[in-house]
């Protein structure tokens, strides 16, 4: 995988209006990868609503639960579907609006220095093998273009406020796939993972 101006050519591209410039130097200050989960409505997969939300065109009347999303301006750099397809909404060189109030290693506002990846899922459903494979490949590709030093779940940078990617996200499996993907391209898989993981 390669990048052009922060965009992954292999990904489906949908441009989000919800981004701005990073305050720190690019790419030197992009050091964190944040893993999320999302589904709209919650627990339902395959529909257009996540992309519609990130692109500012969601129909708030499509489901009663969407009323809570009214006025929300949110985005992510990447979204990985259940079948492993990757969609990109914001250049990795820019700041997407995915982490909200957050901190990592004493530094606030993780959006400033993080890349956000949303997995299609929920806290209550196991993720698909294709999603782990795609996430590992994407992580290695990002490492080859940005000085990533850590991978965290949203729950780790916003504890008590967020729970994703949730208890069913298999961090150990992700780490194993990451090492395997790194070996295939002669890259390093050295990243800091959430505290308590091997």
């Amino acid at each position: 995988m390669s990048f052009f101006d922060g965009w992954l050519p292999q990904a489906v591209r949908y441009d989000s209006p919800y981004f701005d410039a990073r305050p720190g130097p690019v790419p030197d200050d992009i050091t964190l990868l944040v893993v999320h989960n999302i589904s709209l409505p919650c627990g339902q997969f395959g529909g257009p609503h996540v992309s519609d939300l990130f692109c500012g065109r969601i129909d708030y009347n499509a489901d009663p639960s969407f009323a809570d999303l009214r006025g929300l301006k949110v985005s992510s750099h990447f979204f990985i579907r259940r079948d492993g397809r990757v969609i990109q909404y914001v250049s990795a060189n820019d700041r997407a609006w995915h982490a909200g109030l957050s901190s990592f290693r004493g530094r606030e506002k993780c959006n400033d220095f993080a890349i956000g990846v949303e997995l299609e899922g929920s806290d209550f459903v196991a993720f698909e093998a294709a999603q782990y494979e795609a996430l590992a490949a994407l992580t290695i590709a990002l490492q080859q273009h940005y000085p990533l030093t850590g991978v965290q779940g949203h729950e780790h940078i916003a504890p008590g406020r967020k729970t994703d990617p949730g208890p069913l996200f298999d961090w150990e499996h992700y780490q194993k796939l990451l090492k395997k993907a790194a070996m295939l391209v002669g890259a390093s898989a050295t990243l800091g993972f959430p505290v308590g993981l091997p």
Side-chain angles (χ1 to χ4, degrees), residues 36-193:
H36 307 255
N37 78 48
I38 189 171
S39 54
L40 292 174
C42 184
Q44 295 184 29
F45 310 134
H49 304 302
V50 171
S51 289
D52 288 347
L53 175 67
F54 290 161
C55 292
R57 59 178 187 239
I58 192 166
D59 178 2
Y60 298 108
N61 298 314
D63 188 88
S65 65
F66 293 176
D68 295 337
L69 303 175
R70 195 174 296 277
L72 185 65
K73 296 180 178 179
V74 64
S75 62
S76 184
H77 293 96
F78 299 96
F79 177 46
I80 300 178
R81 290 278 197 181
R82 302 293 289 181
D83 61 4
R85 285 178 297 149
V86 179
I87 300 171
Q88 186 172 2
Y89 305 93
V90 174
S91 166
N93 292 346
D94 291 320
R95 176 170 57 186
W97 304 344
H98 59 97
L101 293 173
S102 53
S103 66
F104 179 60
R105 295 179 179 165
R107 186 174 177 187
E108 305 291 320
K109 300 179 181 177
C110 292
N111 283 340
D112 291 354
F113 56 95
I115 292 172
V117 180
E118 298 271 1
L119 301 178
E120 186 173 29
S122 75
D123 289 4
F124 314 107
V125 180
F127 296 93
E128 300 288 347
Q131 292 181 289
Y132 287 106
E133 295 279 356
L135 179 61
L138 177 59
T139 303
I140 294 300
L142 288 168
Q143 270 196 292
Q144 293 179 303
H145 291 83
Y146 302 96
L148 298 179
T149 58
V151 179
Q152 299 287 298
H154 201 184
E155 62 190 305
H156 303 111
I157 62 169
R161 189 175 70 85
K162 293 294 181 177
T163 59
D164 57 314
L168 297 181
F169 182 77
D170 191 336
W171 286 97
E172 289 185 32
H173 182 55
Y174 170 44
Q175 285 178 294
K176 289 176 183 176
L177 290 176
L178 202 55
K179 290 176 183 176
K180 181 180 175 183
M183 287 176 55
L184 291 174
V185 297
S188 169
T190 304
L191 284 169
F193 279 79

